[in-house]
Amino acid sequence: MSDDFSGVDWQIARYDDKEFTPGDPYEVARLGKRIADTAALIQEQAAKLHNLVDGNGWDSDAGREFQKKTGDTVGLLTKSHQRYAAAAEALGSTVGAAPADEHQHTDWATALDHAQNLVRAALARAKVADADRSHCQKQLDQHPGPDDHPDKHKLDKQKDCADADLETARTDLRRALAYRDTQAGYAKAAIHDAVEHDGLKDPRHHWWDNWKDWVADIGHWAGVAAAVLGVLALVLSWVPVLGEVLAALALIASVVALVCDTVSALDGKGTWLDVAIDAIGVLSFGAGRLLGTTAKEASVAARGASALKDVGLAREAGLNPAAARGLAEALNGVKPGQIGKALAEGPAELLPRMRSVVKESLDAKAYVDDIRVAAGRLPREASLLTEGAPGLAQISGSSFKTMAGLGKALYIGSQTLPLALGWSNLAPVGEGESKATGPNLLSGLKEIPGIGAGGIPFYNWTWHASG
């Protein structure tokens, strides 16, 4: 609700409406009295226990051991008494008289009662003022005379007075609500300070106590890193060394996200859909390696096929075999004597190679070798193509050319689709996090029973995420 209380129906508004001063001060006082009685009982028992261990006849090994063990208990009881006593004092055990100074601290029961009285009075004035202004406005609307009629001037003045009274009532209401909020803040702070500083926060919290949250956070940011690195690896795959390094880093980040999300899913904090999406992302790197290699091999074979076709054309034109082969090799960028090898090394099928996708995805050595080859640390097979060789678009058609194009399309798809799926599944782990790192586009899907399941069956299984 805004400060002008727009939308309030002053004729039916109540002091204990949720936007004003809800609650029963006498119930608050009864609760405070029960807490005060509990504090007194704790203090009494602590005193009895202290007198028991501090009395005569305890000068023995058994007595001293008993005193040692019960000393800590007495201390804990004393601290508990302090916590209950602070809460009882903050809440109050009776509803007292209205404070002379509204700026002084008072117990919540008394403060709530006084705030409700202030709101009652303000609402009563607002109700009368609102009725008066409505009555004046109705008479003005129904008056048959001109605007300068004396009766209309009188009604205008009366309406202005009613408007002023209503604004005064609004001001009083704002002051009453400010008093309510201030006194509620005092009570909350008193209880919070007692709880935070009474030494009863046991066990002591360590950073590893929240390890499940740490795992979830690490999994989230690993997923963000995998998405960014995966995009860079795809865009810069043509750059020697850099492309291979980015692909390896993206794989590492994906594996970390998979491990962390699996732990979160087992705990019930995450879902098995998260794990499945991470697994697809990891496998996509192996698919990319295979499809990329396949596309390159098909490209080489396509140039070999084009060269072979050109040999036939050159022979038909009357060139001898050596000259025809040399011309075809030069036109298609294939090294001398390598046409047959190019055709032999070109793959006959693409999909059967995908049986090795899991092995390729998890073979760390393969990624390291890719980087070493790109950096010149490991020898690579001699390329069948010479510098300045024509691209696929420039060579004659062949089944290998079609396969090379298909392999390239499959390679791009194998990377972009899992990347898009993984990015859209990223959910923010903190307030104010950017949509770029936490779009959470699949949150609605996870609310469907079964799809958003998490946990372990018969232990902490949930059928859908909380959303």
Side-chain angles (χ1 to χ4, degrees):
M1 178 181 294
S2 60
D3 289 341
D4 62 354
F5 303 105
S6 58
V8 173
D9 187 341
W10 300 108
Q11 300 306 311
I12 61 173
R14 286 178 49 85
Y15 71 93
D16 56 355
D17 288 342
K18 64 180 181 179
E19 61 266 32
F20 297 132
T21 50
D24 185 341
Y26 291 93
E27 283 297 325
V28 173
R30 276 191 282 272
L31 175 61
K33 179 66 167 57
R34 287 198 298 271
I35 295 176
D37 292 343
T38 301
L41 179 61
I42 292 174
Q43 186 179 33
E44 179 183 354
Q45 297 305 317
K48 289 181 178 179
L49 186 58
H50 178 74
N51 292 334
L52 176 64
V53 301
D54 196 41
N56 297 325
W58 291 93
D59 189 15
S60 65
D61 292 340
R64 283 187 289 273
E65 184 64 24
F66 183 81
Q67 288 176 320
K68 179 180 178 182
K69 290 185 178 298
T70 55
D72 293 338
T73 302
V74 172
L76 290 174
L77 286 173
T78 301
K79 293 174 182 178
S80 298
H81 165 261
Q82 294 170 356
R83 174 177 292 191
Y84 277 87
E89 183 178 0
L91 294 175
S93 54
T94 58
V95 178
D101 182 4
E102 291 185 356
H103 296 287
Q104 73 182 26
H105 294 208
T106 186
D107 61 79
W108 176 234
T110 300
L112 178 59
D113 181 66
H114 181 54
Q116 288 182 339
N117 289 333
L118 294 175
V119 172
R120 279 194 190 94
L123 288 177
R125 291 192 293 271
K127 182 176 182 179
V128 172
D130 180 65
D132 289 345
R133 67 193 293 272
S134 296
H135 177 70
C136 292
Q137 185 62 55
K138 183 177 181 180
Q139 288 187 309
L140 284 168
D141 293 339
Q142 296 176 349
H143 198 286
D147 291 342
D148 59 352
H149 193 282
D151 289 343
K152 281 198 170 183
H153 280 297
K154 183 178 179 181
L155 288 170
D156 280 332
K157 289 182 180 180
Q158 290 176 349
K159 182 176 180 297
D160 289 342
C161 289
D163 286 338
D165 290 343
L166 182 58
E167 183 55 38
T168 301
R170 287 194 182 101
T171 300
D172 293 343
L173 189 56
R174 293 188 197 99
R175 191 178 73 250
L177 297 183
Y179 171 78
R180 173 206 65 185
D181 293 340
T182 299
Q183 293 297 331
Y186 290 151
K188 177 182 177 181
I191 295 173
H192 180 268
D193 289 345
V195 170
E196 289 294 319
H197 303 111
D198 60 7
L200 279 177
K201 295 187 69 174
D202 188 30
R204 182 178 298 173
H205 292 286
H206 302 283
W207 66 266
W208 57 80
D209 291 339
N210 299 322
W211 67 271
K212 294 177 183 178
D213 293 333
W214 279 81
V215 169
D217 290 350
I218 292 172
H220 169 73
W221 291 110
V224 173
V228 173
L229 291 169
V231 171
L232 292 176
L234 182 62
V235 173
L236 301 175
S237 59
W238 59 274
V239 180
V241 182
L242 179 60
E244 288 80 8
V245 170
L246 289 172
L249 292 177
L251 173 65
I252 293 172
S254 297
V255 171
V256 171
L258 174 60
V259 172
C260 292
D261 286 349
T262 300
V263 173
S264 294
L266 289 169
D267 181 55
K269 188 180 181 68
T271 70
W272 291 111
L273 179 61
D274 299 327
V275 176
I277 291 174
D278 290 342
I280 292 173
V282 171
L283 293 178
S284 70
F285 288 100
R289 290 192 75 251
L290 289 173
L291 289 170
T293 301
T294 299
K296 291 175 184 177
E297 291 176 352
S299 175
V300 172
R303 289 181 175 87
S306 180
L308 190 61
K309 182 178 180 181
D310 289 342
V311 169
L313 293 174
R315 290 284 290 148
E316 290 177 5
L319 294 180
N320 60 50
R325 187 172 58 251
L327 177 61
E329 290 171 344
L331 289 175
N332 291 278
V334 181
K335 288 185 177 182
Q338 298 291 340
I339 293 178
K341 182 180 179 184
L343 293 174
E345 291 193 352
E349 297 180 35
L350 290 177
L351 296 181
R353 297 175 58 87
M354 299 306 294
R355 290 177 297 181
S356 303
V357 66
V358 176
K359 178 182 177 182
E360 290 287 330
S361 301
L362 303 177
D363 187 357
K365 184 177 181 299
Y367 291 89
V368 175
D369 288 343
D370 286 346
I371 298 172
R372 295 176 68 188
V373 167
R377 299 295 181 85
L378 284 181
R380 70 176 80 207
E381 291 187 9
S383 174
L384 299 176
L385 306 178
T386 60
E387 291 185 9
L392 283 178
Q394 300 172 282
I395 65 176
S396 60
S398 71
S399 61
F400 290 115
K401 179 180 177 180
T402 302
M403 293 167 63
L406 177 60
K408 184 176 181 181
L410 288 174
Y411 167 71
I412 294 175
S414 74
Q415 305 303 293
T416 55
L417 294 180
L419 281 172
L421 186 62
W423 173 79
S424 62
N425 188 48
L426 292 172
V429 294
E431 300 217 356
E433 186 176 335
S434 169
K435 285 287 186 182
T437 59
N440 202 21
L441 300 181
L442 303 184
S443 58
L445 187 64
K446 295 177 186 177
E447 295 177 17
I448 300 175
I451 295 179
I456 304 172
F458 309 110
Y459 175 62
N460 61 344
W461 182 263
T462 55
W463 277 104
H464 59 81
S466 58

